[in-house]
Amino acid sequence: MTEAQVCEQTRTRLVEAAREVFSECGFQGATVREICRRAEANVAAVNYHFGSKDELFAEALNFSGLKALQRANVAADACPEKRLRLFIRDFMLLLLDENNATSQCRMMARELAEPTPVLDKIVTEAIAPLHEFLGHLVFEIVGDKVSETERRRCMFSLFGQCLFYRNSYPVLQRLHPELRYDLDEIEAIAQHIADFSLAALRAKKSG
Amino acid sequence: MTEAQVCEQTRTRLVEAAREVFSECGFQGATVREICRRAEANVAAVNYHFGSKDELFAEALNFSGLKALQRANVAADACPEKRLRLFIRDFMLLLLDENNATSQCRMMARELAEPTPVLDKIVTEAIAPLHEFLGHLVFEIVGDKVSETERRRCMFSLFGQCLFYRNSYPVLQRLHPELRYDLDEIEAIAQHIADFSLAALRAKKSG
Amino acid sequence: MTEAQVCEQTRTRLVEAAREVFSECGFQGATVREICRRAEANVAAVNYHFGSKDELFAEALNFSGLKALQRANVAADACPEKRLRLFIRDFMLLLLDENNATSQCRMMARELAEPTPVLDKIVTEAIAPLHEFLGHLVFEIVGDKVSETERRRCMFSLFGQCLFYRNSYPVLQRLHPELRYDLDEIEAIAQHIADFSLAALRAKKSG
Amino acid sequence: MTEAQVCEQTRTRLVEAAREVFSECGFQGATVREICRRAEANVAAVNYHFGSKDELFAEALNFSGLKALQRANVAADACPEKRLRLFIRDFMLLLLDENNATSQCRMMARELAEPTPVLDKIVTEAIAPLHEFLGHLVFEIVGDKVSETERRRCMFSLFGQCLFYRNSYPVLQRLHPELRYDLDEIEAIAQHIADFSLAALRAKKSG
DNA sequence: AATGAATGAGCCTTCATTCAT
DNA sequence: GATGAATGAAGGCTCATTCAT
């Protein structure tokens, strides 16, 4: 193995460890030492490879999962309502499935409640497209009889419901200790959010 | 002015500064020094008056707003749907109105995504009763044809929509720089959430 | 009761509390707050009445017990050996008897291993006279055939044996958890030290 | 010089500085800053290398001197009385010789009067074995005609005499400014303690 | 005269970062 | 290129002391 490959491996391990730790502890709570420990790398590795904790954080956020979700959704040859169901399900899997290799989405969710210097990047690169995407989907469902402001609020209602399960997990865990985000539970949650929201959207449309 | 009053003033200033800083920066991000600076008090003031940063945090959370909200709701002689509308409106005012003297609710909202040593207290004293309260309201609306699990998820959908506007505010601000949480906007948001959710709940009931 | 009397009472309570706390925790370990708490006085009382912690410490050391011991010893109409026995017994009571109202001696013993700014005062006012006193007693027992240096070392042997039970109490407690300094035990210890030392002194004398 | 060696050097300097400062100021009085200053290291060096002030303290106490003393004593092919003389001499060298590289014994002596979180460790690992060792030596000298309690008190008399010169040094310095613990003086002190104590022990034995 | 709220220096510790190797 | 020892700023907290009342 060449030196360059070893270097690349270390970088990769660092990024993966960073995602783990950041999504568990948030940006402030995460320590460079812990990330390096999990990546089995040197304490100085983060600064060596990325320059700073901030830049590692930015690097760890690449949103490939989110983009794949959107691509898959577009590719699905289905009616808007079905695509909304699909979107919610995929989004919840990204947010809740601990076995999911890509924890960027969980990082992002944490970030929302604890802005860091890289929030601008997150918003521009990931959230804005996502909002645009979902906004379009909502438009397809409710049509233009519903004002743009109101459609936007519908979108917020959708995101709010989804993010709640991730952001309020520490609370839910205390209120309902038996709660586990296994695949069945995630599917059931996704279905609830879809049913709940589609009923509301249909009412908007016809209202 | 008596000494006791002076002391009380300082305490009050500290608690208010603490609510500000904690709700802006979260528990970890907030520093005792910044809180004291804003309260125009000495660095040691927090420990003198409260013993520790933890205890100041606990003190800053007294949930009086949340409790008043529930009392007012019970007192309102109205049908369940109207009481839900009232609840959402009052809750959003607590969450979003910057002029509201009590920012505990904003602190709490932040706290959900960043557990601290006092989360247990928060859950037990404020969130659990609030969930129970809203759970009951939902029950009054949808009846017992809807399973308990599903009713709980409806509750989560409600809370999720409400909290989103607070938790994702840094993001929304970047996406929609014109967004301001003035009273009209808060009323409009509350009405949206109520309309959206009641439509969904009615569908559940009849479904 | 006049104001002056109230003031005097507070001073007295402070001094007593100071002796307690200083002898328990040492000079550094003792806090002004704890002393005031036990004296049921204000935090500022120490500085108000004594100017500083240092001066309170100096005040708390008045060595009346030590002086009384010496007077009683001189008054006792007995042979030198008996007076040495008496001295050791009285000294051990001062050092070890927790019910003894005057804990200055315990404070002093602590102080030896942890010099403070007032050690000079202690040495000049209490320890030097005590050494002189015991030095004379030793002289009476061994006579002038033993050199001054050697007599002084005998004195040190005596003090060393006595102080050990106080200074090493935390250690002895761990080694022999059943050890209690009740009156019987103190008497037995005093007798041991006297027997041990008199045997040695007699050997010096005749040697 | 390799990095490991540099690290080891810093560690060593820290431990040495710690022994100095701890034995001068006690555990509480010693500050991490002063230790680092003397070791010409950064304030954070103590925590980097040892984790905490407590652990540095524990590290600084390794009792190698005490253990060597006991081994040498056992190895000495001599009668019990001669071995007691040897023990006292070696112990006093550990306690008093400022040129002695290992000042742990001086630290320990300080510690006795000012318990810290690590006193249990000190007692278990160093003092208990030492007491057992000296207890056996006393037994060899006085035999079993003397009760165990009394033999233990003889041991305490021995330790008390020895420790006095260390613990009361600040006092002795003030009483006898000419006093210096050079090798001759230490030898003379050790001989005095041995003579004094052996005379007493012989009296016990025959008594 | 006496209080107790307020002070600020200083403590141990943590952490991202730097630097010599 | 990569390490890990070392750094220094900053954190929460403690404490003797001061000061307005």
Side-chain angles (χ1 to χ4, degrees):
Chain A
M1 201 179 331
T2 70
E3 253 181 30
Q5 282 174 321
V6 170
C7 172
E8 202 50 43
Q9 272 198 339
T10 305
R11 269 186 74 96
T12 307
R13 281 207 317 278
L14 280 169
V15 170
E16 280 166 7
R19 283 177 185 145
E20 266 184 45
V21 180
F22 282 131
S23 62
E24 283 171 22
C25 318
F27 181 76
Q28 281 194 100
T31 70
V32 169
R33 283 195 135 73
E34 175 62 13
I35 291 169
C36 292
R37 199 188 57 74
R38 291 206 201 175
E40 298 182 41
N42 187 275
V43 212
V46 163
N47 282 306
Y48 180 71
H49 286 279
F50 303 94
S52 72
K53 185 187 180 186
D54 280 37
E55 288 172 76
L56 168 59
F57 188 82
E59 189 84 9
L61 289 164
N62 72 353
F63 313 115
S64 59
L66 279 180
K67 284 170 188 156
L69 179 162
Q70 294 169 54
R71 276 196 307 276
N73 204 273
V74 169
D77 184 24
C79 70
E81 294 209 357
K82 281 209 171 141
R83 276 189 287 124
L84 182 61
R85 288 186 178 281
L86 184 62
F87 175 89
I88 292 171
R89 184 180 153 279
D90 287 347
F91 192 50
M92 294 312 281
L93 281 170
L94 282 181
L95 277 176
L96 302 184
D97 184 8
E98 303 288 341
N99 297 319
N100 197 324
T102 64
S103 46
Q104 298 103 312
C105 208
R106 293 197 293 280
M107 282 176 68
M108 188 198 67
R110 279 222 49 144
E111 182 65 6
L112 303 191
E114 181 194 8
T116 70
V118 290
L119 182 55
D120 284 326
K121 178 184 151 83
I122 300 177
V123 170
T124 309
E125 293 188 16
I127 301 180
L130 195 65
H131 276 228
E132 203 172 339
F133 181 87
L134 186 58
H136 190 69
L137 205 44
V138 167
F139 178 80
E140 289 186 77
I141 294 170
V142 298
D144 56 7
K145 271 172 50 189
V146 176
S147 74
E148 199 196 321
T149 305
E150 195 53 27
R151 287 203 308 269
R152 185 190 289 167
R153 288 194 185 122
C154 289
M155 219 171 61
F156 294 171
S157 284
L158 279 161
F159 277 126
Q161 290 178 78
C162 294
L163 290 170
F164 177 81
Y165 288 87
R166 158 66 33 214
N167 286 333
S168 294
Y169 183 58
V171 170
L172 296 181
Q173 210 172 13
R174 282 166 172 81
L175 286 172
H176 310 289
E178 76 286 359
L179 180 65
R180 290 286 176 284
Y181 290 153
D182 52 36
L183 285 183
D184 285 348
E185 180 68 20
I186 296 174
E187 294 279 2
I189 291 170
Q191 192 183 328
H192 158 80
I193 296 175
D195 290 343
F196 190 97
S197 304
L198 281 170
L201 291 176
R202 281 183 212 121
K204 285 270 170 217
K205 183 183 184 178
S206 60
Chain B
M1 198 178 335
T2 71
E3 212 170 73
Q5 281 174 321
V6 170
C7 174
E8 205 50 46
Q9 271 198 340
T10 305
R11 269 186 73 98
T12 305
R13 280 207 318 278
L14 281 169
V15 169
E16 279 166 7
R19 281 176 186 147
E20 266 185 46
V21 180
F22 281 133
S23 61
E24 283 171 23
C25 318
F27 182 77
Q28 278 195 100
T31 71
V32 168
R33 281 179 162 75
E34 174 63 12
I35 291 170
C36 291
R37 199 188 57 73
R38 292 204 199 176
E40 297 182 44
N42 186 274
V43 209
V46 162
N47 282 2
Y48 176 72
H49 286 279
F50 304 94
S52 72
K53 186 187 179 184
D54 279 38
E55 285 173 76
L56 169 58
F57 188 82
E59 189 84 8
L61 289 164
N62 71 352
F63 313 117
S64 58
L66 281 180
K67 283 169 189 157
L69 179 161
Q70 294 171 55
R71 276 196 308 275
N73 204 274
V74 169
D77 184 24
C79 71
E81 294 208 357
K82 282 210 171 138
R83 278 190 284 124
L84 183 60
R85 286 185 181 280
L86 184 62
F87 175 90
I88 291 171
R89 183 179 154 281
D90 287 348
F91 191 49
M92 293 313 280
L93 281 169
L94 282 180
L95 277 177
L96 302 184
D97 183 8
E98 302 288 342
N99 298 319
N100 195 323
T102 61
S103 47
Q104 298 103 312
C105 211
R106 295 197 291 281
M107 285 176 66
M108 190 196 70
R110 277 224 47 145
E111 184 64 7
L112 304 192
E114 182 195 6
T116 70
V118 287
L119 182 54
D120 284 325
K121 178 185 151 82
I122 299 177
V123 169
T124 309
E125 293 187 18
I127 301 180
L130 195 66
H131 276 227
E132 204 173 338
F133 181 87
L134 187 58
H136 190 68
L137 206 44
V138 168
F139 177 80
E140 287 185 81
I141 293 169
V142 300
D144 58 5
K145 273 172 49 189
V146 175
S147 74
E148 200 196 319
T149 304
E150 196 52 27
R151 287 201 311 266
R152 184 189 289 168
R153 289 195 185 120
C154 290
M155 223 171 58
F156 293 171
S157 285
L158 279 160
F159 278 125
Q161 290 178 77
C162 295
L163 290 169
F164 177 80
Y165 289 86
R166 159 63 34 212
N167 287 334
S168 294
Y169 183 60
V171 169
L172 296 181
Q173 212 172 11
R174 282 165 173 81
L175 285 173
H176 310 288
E178 78 287 0
L179 179 66
R180 290 287 175 283
Y181 289 153
D182 52 34
L183 284 184
D184 285 348
E185 180 68 19
I186 296 174
E187 294 279 2
I189 291 170
Q191 193 182 328
H192 158 78
I193 296 176
D195 289 344
F196 190 97
S197 303
L198 280 170
L201 291 176
R202 281 185 210 116
K204 285 268 170 220
K205 183 184 183 179
S206 60
Chain C
M1 200 177 331
T2 70
E3 254 181 28
Q5 282 174 320
V6 169
C7 172
E8 203 51 44
Q9 273 197 340
T10 304
R11 270 186 73 97
T12 307
R13 281 207 316 279
L14 280 169
V15 169
E16 279 166 6
R19 281 177 186 145
E20 265 184 47
V21 179
F22 282 131
S23 62
E24 282 172 22
C25 318
F27 181 75
Q28 282 193 98
T31 71
V32 169
R33 281 196 135 72
E34 175 63 12
I35 291 170
C36 292
R37 199 189 57 75
R38 291 205 201 177
E40 296 181 44
N42 187 276
V43 212
V46 162
N47 283 305
Y48 179 72
H49 286 279
F50 303 94
S52 73
K53 184 186 179 185
D54 281 38
E55 288 172 75
L56 168 59
F57 188 82
E59 189 83 9
L61 288 164
N62 71 354
F63 314 115
S64 59
L66 279 180
K67 283 169 189 157
L69 178 161
Q70 294 170 54
R71 277 197 306 277
N73 203 272
V74 169
D77 183 24
C79 69
E81 294 209 356
K82 281 208 171 142
R83 276 189 288 123
L84 181 62
R85 288 185 178 280
L86 185 61
F87 175 89
I88 291 171
R89 184 180 154 279
D90 288 348
F91 191 50
M92 294 312 280
L93 281 170
L94 282 180
L95 277 177
L96 302 184
D97 184 7
E98 302 289 341
N99 297 319
N100 197 325
T102 63
S103 46
Q104 298 103 311
C105 207
R106 293 197 292 281
M107 283 176 67
M108 188 197 69
R110 280 223 48 144
E111 182 66 4
L112 302 192
E114 181 195 7
T116 71
V118 290
L119 183 54
D120 284 327
K121 179 184 151 83
I122 300 178
V123 170
T124 310
E125 293 188 16
I127 301 181
L130 195 67
H131 275 229
E132 203 174 338
F133 180 88
L134 186 58
H136 188 68
L137 204 46
V138 168
F139 178 81
E140 288 186 76
I141 294 170
V142 299
D144 57 7
K145 272 172 49 188
V146 176
S147 75
E148 199 197 320
T149 304
E150 195 52 26
R151 287 201 310 268
R152 180 189 293 167
R153 288 195 184 122
C154 288
M155 217 171 62
F156 293 170
S157 284
L158 278 161
F159 278 124
Q161 290 178 79
C162 294
L163 290 170
F164 177 80
Y165 288 87
R166 157 69 31 215
N167 287 333
S168 294
Y169 183 61
V171 170
L172 296 180
Q173 209 172 13
R174 282 166 173 82
L175 286 172
H176 309 289
E178 78 286 359
L179 180 65
R180 291 286 175 283
Y181 289 153
D182 53 34
L183 285 183
D184 285 349
E185 180 67 19
I186 296 174
E187 294 280 1
I189 292 170
Q191 192 182 329
H192 159 79
I193 296 175
D195 289 344
F196 190 97
S197 303
L198 281 169
L201 290 176
R202 280 184 211 117
K204 284 270 170 216
K205 182 184 185 178
S206 61
Chain D
M1 199 180 331
T2 71
E3 212 170 73
Q5 281 173 323
V6 169
C7 173
E8 204 50 46
Q9 271 198 340
T10 306
R11 269 185 73 98
T12 306
R13 281 206 318 278
L14 281 169
V15 169
E16 279 166 6
R19 281 176 187 147
E20 266 184 46
V21 179
F22 281 132
S23 61
E24 282 171 24
C25 317
F27 181 77
Q28 279 194 99
T31 72
V32 168
R33 280 181 160 74
E34 174 63 14
I35 292 170
C36 291
R37 199 188 58 74
R38 292 204 200 176
E40 296 181 45
N42 185 275
V43 209
V46 162
N47 282 1
Y48 176 73
H49 286 280
F50 303 94
S52 72
K53 185 185 180 185
D54 278 40
E55 286 172 75
L56 169 58
F57 188 82
E59 189 83 9
L61 289 164
N62 72 352
F63 314 116
S64 59
L66 281 180
K67 283 170 189 156
L69 179 161
Q70 294 170 55
R71 277 197 307 275
N73 204 274
V74 169
D77 185 24
C79 71
E81 293 210 356
K82 284 211 168 137
R83 276 189 287 125
L84 182 61
R85 288 185 177 280
L86 184 61
F87 174 90
I88 291 171
R89 183 178 153 282
D90 287 348
F91 192 49
M92 293 313 281
L93 281 169
L94 282 181
L95 277 177
L96 302 184
D97 183 7
E98 303 287 342
N99 298 319
N100 196 324
T102 62
S103 48
Q104 298 103 311
C105 211
R106 295 196 292 280
M107 284 177 67
M108 188 197 71
R110 278 226 45 147
E111 184 64 9
L112 304 192
E114 181 194 7
T116 71
V118 288
L119 182 54
D120 284 325
K121 178 186 150 84
I122 299 176
V123 169
T124 309
E125 293 187 17
I127 301 181
L130 195 67
H131 276 228
E132 203 173 338
F133 181 88
L134 185 58
H136 190 68
L137 205 46
V138 167
F139 178 81
E140 287 186 79
I141 293 170
V142 301
D144 57 6
K145 272 171 51 188
V146 175
S147 75
E148 200 196 318
T149 303
E150 196 52 27
R151 285 200 311 266
R152 183 189 291 168
R153 290 197 182 117
C154 290
M155 222 170 60
F156 293 171
S157 284
L158 278 160
F159 277 125
Q161 290 178 78
C162 294
L163 290 170
F164 178 80
Y165 288 86
R166 159 62 38 211
N167 287 334
S168 294
Y169 182 60
V171 170
L172 296 182
Q173 212 172 10
R174 281 164 173 81
L175 286 172
H176 310 289
E178 78 286 0
L179 180 64
R180 291 285 176 285
Y181 290 153
D182 54 33
L183 285 184
D184 285 348
E185 179 68 19
I186 296 173
E187 293 280 1
I189 292 170
Q191 193 183 326
H192 158 79
I193 296 176
D195 289 344
F196 190 97
S197 303
L198 280 169
L201 291 176
R202 282 186 210 115
K204 285 268 168 218
K205 181 184 184 178
S206 60

